[in-house]
Amino acid sequence: MKNYYEYWYKRFIKDGLKACKTIIGLGLAFGLGYSVSLPIGILFFLWVLVEALIDRN
């Protein structure tokens, strides 16, 4: 039963929080690029992308 809970914890809680963090980061990158300046939005987008790729492993 312990393995069952560990599987669902990893599947929904851990991976779900990573997905929410990435979606919020992409939204912030779009907002910064649209309202503040495009280079800042692009840099924030690249930062979110690199963080997501590092977090994947």
Side-chain angles (χ1 to χ4, degrees):
M1 197 64 161
K2 183 179 178 184
N3 289 334
Y4 176 79
Y5 290 124
E6 287 178 7
Y7 171 79
W8 287 111
Y9 162 75
K10 183 178 185 288
R11 182 77 176 156
F12 283 108
I13 303 297
K14 192 175 176 187
D15 293 344
L17 290 176
K18 285 182 186 178
C20 289
K21 182 175 69 170
T22 303
I23 290 169
I24 290 171
L26 291 176
L28 285 173
F30 177 76
L32 286 173
Y34 187 75
S35 66
V36 178
S37 71
L38 188 60
I40 293 175
I42 291 172
L43 287 174
F44 198 80
F45 171 75
L46 292 174
W47 178 51
V48 170
L49 182 67
V50 167
E51 185 178 339
L53 290 174
I54 289 172
D55 223 10
R56 191 164 183 98
N57 293 331

